[in-house]
Amino acid sequence: MSQLPPLLWLQAFESAARTLSFTAAGNELAVTQAAISQRVRLLEERLGQKLFVRHARSLTLTPVGQAWLPSINDAFSRISEGTTEVFGATSGQPVTLRATPILQQSWLAPRLAALYQHCPHISIRLVSAIWPDDYGAEGADIEIRYGRGEWSGVEMHSLGDEQLLPVCSPTLAATLTTPADLRGHTLLHAVGFGVGWSGWLQAAGVGHLETQCRSITCDNQVMTLALASQGAGVALIHRRLLEQRNDLVTPFPSISVPSDEQFWLVRPSRRQVDDEAALVWVWLAKDTDAT
């Protein structure tokens, strides 16, 4: 037992490892960035190993940090589960919901607004996930993930089949009558999706146009859609995310390409689900057929 580092140090490591930011970890734990940095440094001194590589504006885990993190996550998860089993779910705690920013803006926001009208007592804490590695069962009651559903240790509910189609500003759309009119325009690419512009162009019968178009590649879909709304090019959007957008139109509404990836509601399979988290889950899943 004497080898166990202080819990505050372990919390600082877990939060910093999950967010890859001492500042974000400090915000999460309600302490300063300097406090997180000091706790991690003391932990590293206790262990005799570096857990992070400090870059100018970011952090990465060292190999030993990556190897140790699953054990820390599992330990905190077991403490949480044991506490719930013995003492029951803590009332008054918000339901933590994690999703990408674009999904929060375009799909989640109207559904949460409607939920609050029906159930004003619900308390929700939204957490943004930017990269696939941001997701994980720890720390979130419900997640909305995008992929093929190949995750272990979680319960999943598909939000339905997904299709992608082009969108742009109304002014640009007025110049596009057929897919061939995309020649010479800028295609806005978002990395990380199984289906992209190559797939859509092939489905539209103009696969050869990709080399005849300019391109801008972004690491997130928020930026491609922002550029598209400003007339900077044409982006691909999931049909599900188009329903709340009034700044984008689709020039070819009848041409879309199916994706083998989907949006999923995800929650830890081992965690006891409290009433409020169950209510949010059911609310988000209820109109799956309609979307």
Side-chain angles (χ1 to χ4, degrees):
M1 182 64 69
S2 61
Q3 296 299 315
L4 184 65
L7 181 60
L8 288 178
W9 297 2
L10 298 177
Q11 285 180 309
F13 166 68
E14 186 278 333
S15 182
R18 176 162 36 81
T19 62
L20 293 180
S21 167
F22 288 159
T23 299
N27 292 336
E28 184 173 270
L29 298 177
V31 297
T32 64
Q33 179 269 348
I36 296 294
S37 179
Q38 181 184 41
R39 291 173 188 179
V40 170
R41 179 178 56 79
L42 292 171
L43 179 61
E44 291 174 327
E45 290 178 357
R46 167 71 70 87
L47 298 172
Q49 296 272 3
K50 288 292 184 183
L51 300 172
F52 293 97
V53 178
R54 279 81 163 169
H55 306 288
R57 296 181 181 274
S58 63
L59 297 172
T60 56
L61 283 163
T62 63
V64 70
Q66 291 178 331
W68 194 40
L69 180 59
S71 298
I72 299 301
N73 288 337
D74 185 64
F76 279 121
S77 179
R78 289 177 179 273
I79 291 172
S80 176
E81 292 165 6
T83 302
T84 299
E85 289 175 4
V86 175
F87 300 101
T90 303
S91 61
Q93 293 297 312
V95 178
T96 300
L97 176 57
R98 181 183 288 135
T100 63
I102 189 62
L103 192 69
Q104 291 182 29
Q105 296 169 16
S106 301
W107 186 84
L108 194 54
R111 285 161 176 78
L112 291 185
L115 172 61
Y116 273 108
Q117 289 182 351
H118 287 78
C119 305
H121 66 281
I122 291 286
S123 178
I124 294 178
R125 173 176 174 260
L126 282 175
V127 179
S128 294
I130 307 298
W131 304 103
D133 289 344
D134 291 338
Y135 288 100
E138 69 281 0
D141 298 297
I142 302 171
E143 296 176 340
I144 305 178
R145 301 186 188 181
Y146 185 75
R148 296 182 176 86
E150 299 170 342
W151 306 292
S152 60
V154 294
E155 178 184 349
M156 297 175 289
H157 175 83
S158 171
L159 295 181
D161 294 337
E162 201 55 65
Q163 296 186 337
L164 289 95
L165 68 166
V167 288
C168 58
S169 68
T171 301
L172 181 53
T175 70
L176 303 174
T177 303
T178 69
D181 295 332
L182 289 171
R183 180 182 287 106
H185 284 285
T186 300
L187 304 182
L188 303 168
H189 301 261
V191 300
F193 295 105
V195 174
W197 270 111
S198 294
W200 186 90
L201 291 170
Q202 290 292 337
V206 290
H208 62 283
L209 284 188
E210 187 166 12
T211 59
Q212 301 175 35
C213 295
R214 297 185 296 270
S215 69
I216 297 177
T217 300
C218 304
D219 66 0
N220 64 84
Q221 199 175 23
V222 173
M223 192 59 188
T224 60
L225 298 181
L227 288 168
S229 70
Q230 296 297 315
V234 187
L236 287 178
I237 191 172
H238 298 83
R239 190 180 292 277
R240 181 183 311 277
L241 304 184
L242 186 58
E243 61 186 42
Q244 295 296 321
R245 304 287 302 221
N246 56 17
D247 57 341
L248 294 168
V249 297
T250 176
F252 318 113
S254 64
I255 306 176
S256 61
V257 59
S259 173
D260 60 353
E261 298 176 306
Q262 301 175 2
F263 291 102
W264 302 77
L265 288 179
V266 176
R267 62 186 175 189
S269 57
R270 293 191 305 170
R271 183 181 302 172
Q272 180 176 335
V273 180
D274 63 31
D275 292 342
E276 293 194 350
L279 191 156
V280 174
W281 176 278
V282 171
W283 182 270
L284 296 178
K286 71 183 180 67
D287 61 349
T288 295
D289 294 336
T291 57

